[in-house]
Amino acid sequence: MKKALLIILMLTLSFSGKTESGYRLWLRYDPIPNRQLVTSYNNSISGITLSGTSGTISVAKEELINGLQGMLGRKVVATTAVINNSIVAGTPTSSNIISSLALQQQLATAGNEGFVIVTTKSNGKNIIAIAANNDVGVMYGIFHFLRLLQTQQSIKALNIASAPKIKLRVLNHWDNLNRHVERGYAGASIWDWHKLPGYIDQRYIDYARANASIGINGTVLTNVNANALVLTKQYLEKVAALAKVFRPYGIKVYLTARFSAPIEIGKLKTADPLDPQVQQWWKDKVNEIYTYVPDFGGFLVKANSEGQPGPQNYNRNHADGANTLADAVAPHGGIVMWRAFVYSNETPEDRFKQAYNEFKPLDGKFKKNVLIQVKNGPIDFQPREPFSPLFGAMPQTPLMMEFQVTQEYLGQGTNLVYEAPMFKEVLDADTYQKGKGSTVAKVIDGTLHDYSTSGLAGVANIGSDINWTGHLFGQSNWYALGRLAWDHTLTSEQIADEWLKQTFNTNPSFINTAKRIMLGSHEALVNYMTPLGLHHIMGTGHHYGPAPWVSNVGRADWNPVYYHKADEKGIGFDRTNKGSNALAQYAPEVQKQFEDVNTCPEPYLLWFHHVAWDHKMKSGRTLWEELCHKYYSGVDSVRSMQKAWETVKPMVDKERFEHVKMLLAVQEKEAVWWRNACLLYFQTHSKMPIPGGYEQPNQTLEYYKSLSFPFAPGNG
Ligand code: GCV
């Protein structure tokens, strides 16, 4: 009776709204309200026995104990002797019980990081075995087990085997040493460089726990627009302190390497990658880094892109640059992630084509420990982009995917946008490189070309805000990135379901409503920002809000007018063979999908065609009418999201309910702003009215053009 009262009290507290800042992410471990389920869990979990002595086992044990105690509302102790109805976790080497179970077959497919969870018997005792080949796999298994409980699944007859499909599952922080986060919308950088190495914020530990729980095994601490200072002793001591926190959680630390570091901090006259002195400098620097961080992961490099220095400053190519760094880290087992996000203003070429043009000829020229990191989309993380043609063009080079988790072009910190459907759309796209079924996912997980290494990176949306990501639902994007990097066959719906149940509650009515909001949110944003294949029409610099009229920025391809090409005839960028012919960079089957204006899938239409305003769309509307329809339906969707969120009020704590409600109201305003500003501007070209029946813009185009946001967050 007392216990029941305690649980009710805890539940009431957790719904009182006082403690629900969102800090606990999806690792809440609140008491499970379903008593029957708790009884069933209790019957299977009388104790726990974890074998192994590593730091990883010790953090995994702590997590398991805390998780179980929180959810079951009782004390859980670890024992050395296995008791009936208990959890036994370990590797065949660390645990006699695990090695005595017939798990060899499953473990053979688990690799270094995978795990097996089975309900079985050992010496007549009922146990749940969490087994792996390494301690890190045991830890991942424990997090998976806790997820089963948090999502309230049965643990009566478990038979699970899971291994990551992608080897490097990495977050990229665009965090500067002064704590400004480029494209960050959640406060300052979580790395408090000034207080490191002496002060270890609890947040670093919770960051590591959260990442480990979703399988993220690498973090690049610093911005790709890099500062060489991070490679100096003063900062390496700080980096080492963070690496020490992350190590038990299976997370390696990586740094961005400024290509001109040999000059800036090495006092050399050149950074030419083929200069023997420069090569030696990098080797020495890397040796030094490994004295601080013995398991340092390696470098991420942005070179010859947007003003960053690179090998081309010395008439060398990207392979020359990447290979010099790769040679330096290779003896230590390090890797180089070299970004393909390059475009040059000097080349009067469609920006869409430039990365392919520069990198395709280098296929096969990179050292074995180099991965080329390709941004999602040939332009730049737009709300919807066709997949980068590079994914179908470099069979001899491991290609990493770089997704944007932070919402630079996706409503930044104020819009609820669940990105998993966007990630999935790209991962499932078919490159046709080796015939039908050559999906982007198979390219990046290495199975299509049999790469020995593979990777997926996400530009982090994490900051110093109490709820980590600014918008509470931004957490779902961090979560989705990790889960998809582990297993890209998971559906967006499964991931949303998991995240919601762990982050809020398992009430079916709440889950159904919130899931509907999440699953429709990306399409809603595309509709009110860049429908039908429009792209890069955001405000200059900060990229906040619409500015399709901008035509005065120094570089042609930093101007929205470059991308939409609206004129009196129509709108859109002709990338067929009558235009820039970017389509030729894809396999013939992909070209076929997009090349005909009448059959091109409409979500991509204006990516590939300049289309007449009166072109007949599949709906029977003209292009202009369809554009209006999309913009209006985008706003309608946000209003529906607002209404739906209202209905979950009784099922969500006050603090988080109000947080989301207020932001949805901001989102509605921003969606209306996007719709009105874009339609009023495009109307100056189409000369057609916004069809009657739609609410008409309540401001003039001049008004929208006059808006300015000098302090919009995240600007570079
Ligand atoms: C880190 C876009 C962004 C920049 C970013 C760059 C990149 O241009 O606006 O902030 O710089 O991409 O990915 O390197």
Side-chain angles (χ1 to χ4, degrees):
M1 187 62 192
K2 249 192 191 162
K3 229 192 236 171
L5 276 177
L6 182 72
I7 286 167
I8 290 166
L9 181 73
M10 285 164 83
L11 276 175
T12 324
L13 274 179
S14 73
F15 273 81
S16 68
K18 292 232 164 58
T19 56
E20 295 294 356
S21 63
Y23 181 83
R24 292 185 295 157
L25 294 161
W26 48 88
L27 300 175
R28 297 160 55 75
Y29 307 138
D30 277 347
I32 293 167
N34 179 339
R35 296 311 302 156
Q36 237 181 333
L37 198 63
V38 172
T39 310
S40 140
Y41 287 166
N42 276 332
N43 288 342
S44 309
I45 312 171
S46 303
I48 63 167
T49 308
L50 266 81
S51 301
T53 52
S54 66
T56 300
I57 290 298
S58 108
V59 297
K61 190 191 280 179
E62 196 182 331
E63 195 75 29
L64 185 59
I65 291 175
N66 286 343
L68 292 176
Q69 291 188 162
M71 285 186 277
L72 305 180
R74 66 171 166 86
K75 202 156 174 53
V76 173
V77 262
T79 55
T80 35
V82 174
I83 56 173
N84 195 25
N85 298 321
S86 66
I87 298 170
V88 179
T91 68
T93 324
S94 69
S95 159
N96 290 336
I97 308 275
I98 296 293
S99 74
S100 71
L101 301 171
L103 296 175
Q104 291 83 345
Q105 237 181 334
Q106 283 114 303
L107 284 176
T109 58
N112 288 337
E113 296 177 300
F115 56 83
V116 173
I117 307 179
V118 285
T119 309
T120 184
K121 269 189 184 295
S122 168
N123 294 329
K125 298 188 176 96
N126 298 320
I127 62 164
I128 293 172
I130 303 180
N133 296 315
N134 290 300
D135 288 353
V136 76
V138 175
M139 179 196 69
Y140 286 138
I142 284 173
F143 273 115
H144 189 88
F145 181 73
L146 288 168
R147 178 158 50 235
L148 296 178
L149 266 53
Q150 282 213 93
T151 53
Q152 301 191 16
Q153 297 181 46
S154 166
I155 55 166
K156 279 196 181 131
L158 296 173
N159 189 5
I160 298 168
S162 178
K165 294 203 186 312
I166 292 174
K167 290 204 172 95
L168 302 163
R169 305 174 299 278
V170 187
L171 283 181
N172 289 183
H173 287 266
W174 286 357
D175 293 21
N176 296 321
L177 299 180
N178 65 3
R179 296 193 78 182
H180 174 261
V181 182
E182 185 156 352
R183 311 310 171 188
Y185 310 103
S189 168
I190 59 168
W191 318 132
D192 190 343
W193 292 107
H194 185 69
K195 289 202 205 123
L196 281 165
Y199 185 77
I200 300 298
D201 195 323
Q202 175 63 31
R203 198 174 264 256
Y204 305 151
I205 299 160
D206 292 330
Y207 166 88
R209 291 175 51 234
N211 280 324
S213 76
I214 51 174
I216 292 202
N217 65 0
T219 178
V220 185
L221 300 176
T222 44
N223 192 353
V224 287
N225 290 330
N227 187 331
L229 273 186
V230 79
L231 304 178
T232 60
K233 180 176 183 307
Q234 186 189 4
Y235 278 90
L236 289 175
E237 283 170 357
K238 299 167 192 281
V239 170
L242 288 174
K244 189 170 166 206
V245 175
F246 303 154
R247 189 165 297 122
Y249 293 93
I251 299 167
K252 278 191 180 180
V253 157
Y254 299 78
L255 292 173
T256 46
R258 184 158 163 88
F259 203 76
S260 49
I263 303 172
E264 289 165 22
I265 56 169
K267 308 264 181 288
L268 298 189
K269 291 219 160 43
T270 175
D272 179 351
L274 299 192
D275 180 303
Q277 260 191 309
V278 171
Q279 293 177 337
Q280 192 55 48
W281 186 86
W282 278 113
K283 282 185 182 147
D284 294 344
K285 180 47 73 184
V286 164
N287 291 342
E288 185 191 353
I289 295 174
Y290 278 92
T291 64
Y292 288 95
V293 186
D295 54 354
F296 178 61
F299 292 124
L300 169 65
V301 188
K302 170 175 176 177
N304 293 122
S305 165
E306 300 186 327
Q308 292 299 305
Q312 291 172 350
N313 298 28
Y314 308 95
N315 292 322
R316 313 296 186 194
N317 63 33
H318 286 286
D320 298 327
N323 290 343
T324 291
L325 296 186
D327 284 342
V329 292
H332 304 276
I335 57 145
V336 171
M337 297 170 278
W338 191 270
R339 293 177 89 226
F341 178 68
V342 296
Y343 61 98
S344 149
N345 198 36
E346 289 79 58
T347 319
E349 178 62 287
D350 176 4
R351 178 167 153 191
F352 187 113
K353 295 167 69 176
Q354 292 188 30
Y356 177 103
N357 287 348
E358 281 195 41
F359 278 86
K360 162 93 182 138
L362 299 176
D363 189 25
K365 304 241 157 68
F366 294 93
K367 293 283 166 91
K368 280 221 151 31
N369 56 337
V370 176
L371 293 103
I372 299 301
Q373 184 165 308
V374 182
K375 250 184 162 177
N376 179 28
I379 298 294
D380 187 8
F381 289 152
Q382 294 305 293
R384 168 167 283 126
E385 293 208 33
F387 69 87
S388 164
L390 274 173
F391 286 118
M394 295 188 69
Q396 297 176 70
T397 312
L399 299 180
M400 281 180 78
M401 170 62 84
E402 178 179 308
F403 279 131
Q404 196 184 48
V405 184
T406 190
Q407 294 169 232
E408 176 183 3
Y409 300 100
L410 288 135
Q412 305 194 346
T414 48
N415 289 201
L416 190 165
V417 182
Y418 175 51
E419 296 177 321
M422 178 180 78
F423 298 158
K424 288 287 291 184
E425 197 169 298
V426 178
L427 291 169
D428 293 344
D430 201 338
T431 68
Y432 285 90
Q433 195 176 17
K434 282 187 162 176
K436 198 169 165 44
S438 307
T439 59
V440 171
K442 286 189 191 160
V443 175
I444 63 164
D445 75 10
T447 54
L448 192 70
H449 303 302
D450 217 9
Y451 301 144
S452 59
T453 184
S454 57
L456 186 147
V459 178
N461 60 349
I462 298 158
S464 62
D465 276 8
I466 185 80
N467 70 8
W468 301 85
T469 53
H471 198 305
L472 192 59
F473 274 75
Q475 294 179 3
S476 68
N477 295 328
W478 175 9
Y479 185 85
L481 182 97
R483 295 291 287 138
L484 283 173
W486 185 278
D487 182 0
H488 54 69
T489 66
L490 291 171
T491 67
S492 304
E493 185 175 354
Q494 279 171 301
I495 298 169
D497 196 86
E498 277 180 9
W499 178 76
L500 283 167
K501 284 179 175 159
Q502 296 170 93
T503 305
F504 289 96
N505 59 63
T506 55
N507 180 335
S509 165
F510 169 76
I511 296 295
N512 286 340
T513 307
K515 210 156 56 178
R516 220 171 352 118
I517 293 176
M518 287 173 78
L519 292 174
S521 60
H522 173 250
E523 204 58 40
L525 173 117
V526 170
N527 285 339
Y528 62 74
M529 278 192 183
T530 51
L532 301 176
L534 284 171
H535 48 283
H536 222 310
I537 55 174
M538 292 77 185
T540 305
H542 49 61
H543 297 159
Y544 174 60
W549 46 81
V550 169
S551 62
N552 60 353
V553 185
R555 302 177 54 121
D557 52 6
W558 283 354
N559 287 293
V561 296
Y562 170 92
Y563 295 100
H564 62 67
K565 302 212 182 305
D567 56 23
E568 73 284 358
K569 290 204 194 91
I571 182 169
F573 200 127
D574 186 352
R575 295 191 164 101
T576 67
N577 56 13
K578 290 187 212 74
S580 77
N581 206 16
L583 264 179
Q585 295 183 338
Y586 288 111
E589 293 87 341
V590 182
Q591 292 179 35
K592 220 171 254 144
Q593 285 168 17
F594 294 123
E595 71 195 357
D596 183 345
V597 69
N598 293 308
T599 51
C600 176
E602 290 183 353
Y604 295 95
L605 187 62
L606 305 180
W607 269 104
F608 294 110
H609 299 275
H610 190 72
V611 185
W613 292 114
D614 60 1
H615 172 83
K616 266 267 160 2
M617 302 291 285
K618 292 197 179 86
S619 62
R621 300 182 192 99
T622 65
L623 172 66
W624 169 251
E625 288 164 351
E626 188 72 14
L627 202 63
C628 294
H629 171 73
K630 289 286 180 196
Y631 271 112
Y632 275 88
S633 71
V635 172
D636 287 348
S637 305
V638 178
R639 290 178 180 158
S640 302
M641 285 157 72
Q642 286 181 286
K643 282 202 194 100
W645 187 253
E646 275 303 330
T647 68
V648 303
K649 189 170 181 176
M651 301 166 233
V652 180
D653 52 279
K654 187 167 181 308
E655 191 170 344
R656 291 187 297 171
F657 175 79
E658 292 296 336
H659 164 93
V660 175
K661 181 182 162 138
M662 283 188 284
L663 287 173
L664 280 172
V666 174
Q667 183 169 358
E668 193 266 351
K669 278 209 176 70
E670 292 180 347
V672 170
W673 169 31
W674 266 94
R675 179 196 73 191
N676 290 355
C678 289
L679 287 177
L680 286 171
Y681 168 73
F682 291 133
Q683 193 176 40
T684 64
H685 294 287
S686 77
K687 311 269 191 278
M688 292 171 173
I690 294 172
Y694 289 132
E695 71 186 13
Q696 297 294 308
N698 54 354
Q699 298 285 357
T700 62
L701 178 57
E702 287 322 304
Y703 165 80
Y704 290 117
K705 282 183 171 178
S706 75
L707 299 176
S708 111
F709 305 94
F711 304 114
N715 210 350

